Amino acid sequence: MIDLNADLGETDSPDGIARDIAIMDIVSSCNIACGGHAGSPDVMRTMLMAAKSGSIAPGAHPSYPDRAGFGRTSMDISLADLEASLTRQLQDIAEIAAEVRVNLTHIKPHGALYNDAQDDPGLSTLLVDMAARANLALVGMPGSLVERKASDKRISFIAEAFIDRQYSSNGRLVPRSEAGAVIADEDDRIRQGLSLAKATPLPAQDGTSLTIGAQTLCLHSDSDGALETARRMRTALEQAGILIGSGR
């Protein structure tokens, strides 16, 4: 079984909200922006209610406090200040989740924070500690420091891979500043998603191949054609005999 997830609630435009709700009909879990890079109480409420209605596992999607840069730039911020910001973000979404009577299941950091934390001792420890306090699973990259620290603390860890992002040979994402970092071709996305779901080799940026074992596959809702990719990815997985579900 494989989980399909999407990062949602990152826009307050009517078209964007409609797209996110449509994606929720396809995926089995979602990560909802909670104010750091995007998101508002009204959008969080809408996303949580849609997740509840569709029996989709909802998670918090906190970020560096960087709305201007959409959380996609590393920040020079103290761990104490970052912890305070992340705590506020998690409290905000937790309060709304309680209001609509749905249980959060996981935390998935967003953007630069997600990437930075995979190999940073301080950031990975902070995220694991926050997941422990919230009693939530933590989403991250397989083979990362986040995974090792989560295992050490017996925190549930969900290994994630990306359908629409190119990988470096070390198993990390190619920075968005580099050409080809976001996979634009629909067929290439589907091929990569199937390789990830089956844990078979896929091409890295330098032409070598790598194999990534993942429990959940992510689609970015703001990628061009995200809704159609989500539909085609689910169909391809089902046709390959792969069950889809979060198990949460």
Side-chain angles (χ1 to χ4, degrees), residues 166-169 173-175 178-181 202-208 210:
Q166 190 173 53
Y167 280 89
S168 299
S169 57
L173 297 178
V174 173
E178 296 186 23
L202 57 90
Q205 180 191 37
D206 63 359
T208 61
L210 72 159

Side-chain angles (χ1 to χ4, degrees), residues 62-63 79-91 106-107 109 113 122-138 153 155:
S63 167
L79 285 176
D81 287 344
L82 178 58
E83 181 176 12
S85 174
L86 296 176
T87 299
R88 285 193 298 273
Q89 293 176 55
L90 293 177
Q91 286 175 340
H106 62 276
I107 298 171
L113 176 59
L123 291 175
S124 57
T125 296
L126 173 58
L127 292 176
V128 168
D129 287 347
M130 296 194 76
R133 288 197 294 271
N135 194 28
L136 295 173
L138 184 60
K153 285 213 165 186
I155 300 303

Side-chain angles (χ1 to χ4, degrees), residues 26-245:
I26 300 164
V27 298
S28 45
S29 70
C30 64
N31 322 296
I32 300 170
C34 40
H37 67 290
S40 69
D42 285 345
V43 174
M44 281 186 259
R45 187 174 294 105
T46 298
M47 293 296 110
L48 286 165
M49 290 175 67
K52 180 181 179 181
S53 176
S55 299
I56 304 304
H61 197 39
S63 167
Y64 283 129
D66 175 30
R67 292 182 76 92
F70 201 68
R72 286 182 171 159
T73 303
S74 299
M75 288 188 71
D76 183 12
I77 183 173
S78 71
L79 285 176
D81 287 344
L82 178 58
E83 181 176 12
S85 174
L86 296 176
T87 299
R88 285 193 298 273
Q89 293 176 55
L90 293 177
Q91 286 175 340
D92 287 347
I93 194 168
E95 288 173 2
I96 297 170
E99 173 193 321
V100 303
R101 299 183 180 180
V102 64
N103 293 322
L104 296 172
T105 62
H106 62 276
I107 298 171
K108 176 189 167 181
H110 166 80
L113 176 59
Y114 179 99
N115 292 322
D116 292 346
Q118 304 308 315
D119 302 296
D120 183 282
L123 291 175
S124 57
T125 296
L126 173 58
L127 292 176
V128 168
D129 287 347
M130 296 194 76
R133 288 197 294 271
N135 194 28
L136 295 173
L138 184 60
V139 178
M141 291 184 179
S144 65
L145 193 53
V146 174
E147 181 179 26
R148 292 197 293 275
K149 287 181 178 289
S151 177
D152 290 343
K153 285 213 165 186
R154 298 185 179 181
I155 300 303
S156 178
F157 179 82
I158 302 169
E160 180 181 45
F162 294 83
I163 294 167
D164 53 4
R165 292 294 308 279
Q166 190 173 53
Y167 280 89
S168 299
S169 57
N170 65 355
R172 296 294 180 260
L173 297 178
V174 173
R176 284 179 177 266
S177 58
E178 296 186 23
V182 177
I183 298 171
D185 184 81
E186 186 92 13
D187 292 337
D188 288 344
R189 292 178 181 179
I190 304 307
R191 276 192 291 270
Q192 176 152 307
L194 286 171
S195 293
L196 292 166
K198 296 175 180 179
T200 57
L202 57 90
Q205 180 191 37
D206 63 359
T208 61
S209 65
L210 72 159
T211 301
I212 299 172
Q215 298 161 285
T216 186
L217 304 182
C218 176
L219 265 173
H220 292 98
S221 64
D222 64 333
S223 293
D224 290 340
L227 179 56
E228 180 59 25
T229 298
R231 290 189 180 119
R232 284 191 57 191
M233 189 74 258
R234 182 167 187 122
T235 297
L237 290 168
E238 291 173 340
Q239 289 176 344
I242 299 170
L243 296 176
I244 298 167

